Each structure stands twice: as structure tokens, then as C-alpha cells.
């Protein structure tokens, strides 16, 4: 997606959040700035595979990722688009940090609503410090808070999401789970229904992983992997 569209989207999001005050504008600004930085650092997977200067270990992982991406479209009917056809080394252990909160002694999480992505039971930050600061503020309000690092996130097809270095830390089964899960969010996403969205993505992830394992005669039983879509 071109820079002009990125910044038009940024302007629309900030304007939509303006009614909620400066804090919301600041929150959306950090979200979009973090995402734009990642998008600007993308490198084409095919070119990296062909580039003789690419480290052999990375080339092998990207070759597997390319095959997984083809399987997602050809065999699972997941979106055929630019997502997971580029790569970014983000240089840290987690791409974003999700902040969850709930009233004390309650199992019902607080939800936050955002333009485009609807209502979700977390707030996402590209900065660990920003996430920690948000957690402290929520705790001051008497809420129980949990902060979790996130390996991957989906923009639900609004952008061509890249493969991230965080997604390559484990084996190909883990990588396939992430790609299938996030592409499932792009295929079907119901605003305000996180339970359904995650259940659907996990179902696609699990069945896709098992089908791919059967094709390659690999172990089929692997615990479902959870990931977060960031707003």
C-alpha cells in the first residue's frame, strides 16, 4: 500500500478518535507510526531468497514460508493478496504488546472500540514502555491488568502484512499456524465478537496445519497457537 494511502488512513483514524480527547489521538498516533515503520522496512521474500548475500538459515526459513503461503491460498482458500510475501527483521522479541484489563474478581475483560477493527478486549502498543505505562494507569483505576508480548498481528487485509522475524523463531509448524491464523482473520472478521473471531481463526489454523502435516507425513497433533490482531 502506498504512502499516500497510509497517511490518509492515519488522518481518518485520528480524526475519528478526536472526540475521545488527546489521549486517544496519542494512542492512535503511536499505533500507526509503529505500523508504518514496519511497512517501510519490508523486503520482498522472493528477492531475499535469490539474493546470495542472504544468510543460509534465513533463506531456508523464507523458502518454507513461501511454500506455506502458497498452501494457504491454493489449499485453504485463504486470501490471495500481498500479505506474508515480504519480510521485516524487527530486531526485538515481540512486535507489539497487548494490555488486558478486568475489574477485580471479574472474568469479564474491559473492551475498547476502534475505527475499522471494532471492539476488542485489549489495547495494543508497539512500545513496551507505553504498554507498561498504560498498565500502571489502569491499575490506578482499580483494575486487574495483564501485559503480553505478541508475535504477529493482522491488519485484516487493509495492508499487505509482512512476515516478521518474530514469526520465524520456532519451526515451520509454528510459522504455518501463524500465517493460517492471521489470514483467517483477513477472510472473516466480525466487529465486536472476539470470541468468534479467535475461534474461527484457530479452527482454520488447526485444520490447515493438520492438512499440511498429512501431506508431508508429519506429526498431526499440536496444541492450538493463539495470536492477537492489533488495533
Amino acid at each position: 500500500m502506498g504512502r499516500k494511502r497510509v497517511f490518509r488512513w492515519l488522518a481518518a483514524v485520528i480524526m475519528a478518535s478526536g472526540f475521545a480527547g488527546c489521549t486517544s489521538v496519542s494512542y492512535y498516533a503511536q499505533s500507526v507510526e509503529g505500523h508504518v515503520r514496519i511497512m517501510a522496512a519490508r523486503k520482498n521474500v522472493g528477492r531475499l531468497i535469490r539474493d546470495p548475500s542472504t544468510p543460509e538459515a534465513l533463506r531456508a526459513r523464507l523458502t518454507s514460508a513461501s511454500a506455506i503461503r502458497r498452501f494457504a491460498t491454493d489449499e485453504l482458500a485463504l486470501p490471495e493478496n500481498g500479505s506474508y510475501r515480504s519480510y521485516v527483521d524487527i530486531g526485538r522479541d515481540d512486535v507489539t504488546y497487548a494490555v488486558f484489563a478486568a475489574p477485580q474478581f471479574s472474568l469479564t475483560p474491559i473492551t475498547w472500540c476502534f475505527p475499522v477493527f471494532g471492539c476488542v478486549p485489549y489495547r495494543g502498543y508497539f512500545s513496551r514502555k507505553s504498554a507498561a505505562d498504560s498498565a500502571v494507569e489502569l491499575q490506578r483505576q482499580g483494575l486487574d491488568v495483564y501485559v503480553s508480548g505478541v508475535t504477529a498481528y493482522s491488519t485484516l487485509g487493509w495492508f499487505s502484512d509482512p512476515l516478521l522475524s518474530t514469526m520465524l523463531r520456532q519451526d515451520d509448524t509454528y510459522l504455518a499456524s501463524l500465517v493460517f491464523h492471521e489470514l483467517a482473520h483477513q477472510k472473516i472478521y466480525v466487529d465486536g465478537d472476539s470470541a468468534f473471531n479467535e475461534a474461527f481463526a484457530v479452527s482454520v489454523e488447526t485444520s490447515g496445519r493438520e492438512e499440511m502435516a498429512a501431506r508431508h507425513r508429519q506429526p498431526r497433533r499440536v496444541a492450538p497457537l493463539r495470536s492477537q490482531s492489533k488495533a
Side-chain angles (χ1 to χ4, degrees):
M1 179 174 290
R3 285 181 178 270
K4 288 184 178 179
R5 187 175 174 188
V6 168
F7 288 106
R8 282 200 301 269
W9 185 78
L10 166 59
V13 167
I14 291 180
M15 287 178 66
S17 67
F19 296 102
C22 295
T23 299
S24 292
V25 172
S26 175
Y27 172 77
Y28 286 118
Q30 68 84 31
S31 294
V32 177
E33 179 184 4
H35 179 65
V36 169
R37 285 180 180 275
I38 287 176
M39 297 296 285
R42 290 175 298 170
K43 296 181 180 179
N44 180 270
V45 167
R47 291 175 185 170
L48 284 171
I49 291 172
R50 295 189 296 271
D51 188 342
S53 68
T54 299
E56 193 57 41
L58 177 59
R59 178 181 291 107
R61 297 311 315 278
L62 293 178
T63 299
S64 294
S66 183
I68 289 167
R69 184 63 183 85
R70 288 196 302 272
F71 186 90
T73 296
D74 295 346
E75 304 298 332
L76 303 181
L78 291 171
E80 172 63 78
N81 55 29
S83 291
Y84 309 116
R85 302 184 190 281
S86 60
Y87 171 75
V88 177
D89 185 343
I90 63 172
R92 57 181 186 269
D93 292 337
D94 299 295
V95 61
T96 58
Y97 306 89
V99 179
F100 301 85
Q104 289 186 343
F105 311 114
S106 172
L107 298 178
T108 302
I110 301 296
T111 58
W112 289 272
C113 298
F114 307 95
V116 179
F117 296 97
C119 299
V120 292
Y122 56 81
R123 295 186 73 171
Y125 295 85
F126 281 88
S127 161
R128 184 190 295 272
K129 181 180 183 304
S130 295
D133 290 345
S134 175
V136 169
E137 178 57 33
L138 291 168
Q139 287 171 336
R140 286 174 181 162
Q141 298 174 27
L143 299 172
D144 287 333
V145 180
Y146 176 71
V147 179
S148 174
V150 178
T151 301
Y153 68 94
S154 172
T155 59
L156 308 181
W158 280 74
F159 298 89
S160 296
D161 298 328
L163 292 164
L164 305 172
S165 51
T166 51
M167 299 170 67
L168 304 184
R169 289 189 311 215
Q170 299 189 39
D171 62 15
D172 288 349
T173 299
Y174 179 85
L175 176 59
S177 294
L178 283 173
V179 170
F180 299 160
H181 187 107
E182 301 301 348
L183 286 174
H185 282 316
Q186 292 189 18
K187 188 175 182 70
I188 295 179
Y189 186 86
V190 179
D191 288 355
D193 196 341
S194 294
F196 170 81
N197 293 331
E198 288 304 312
F200 174 74
V202 169
S203 177
V204 171
E205 161 201 326
T206 302
S207 60
R209 188 178 56 218
E210 291 184 347
E211 175 64 20
M212 191 176 71
R215 299 282 183 94
H216 295 87
R217 298 183 181 179
Q218 294 175 346
R220 297 171 62 96
R221 294 185 178 180
V222 183
L225 176 147
R226 310 275 182 184
S227 65
Q228 300 293 335
S229 299
K230 306 295 354 122

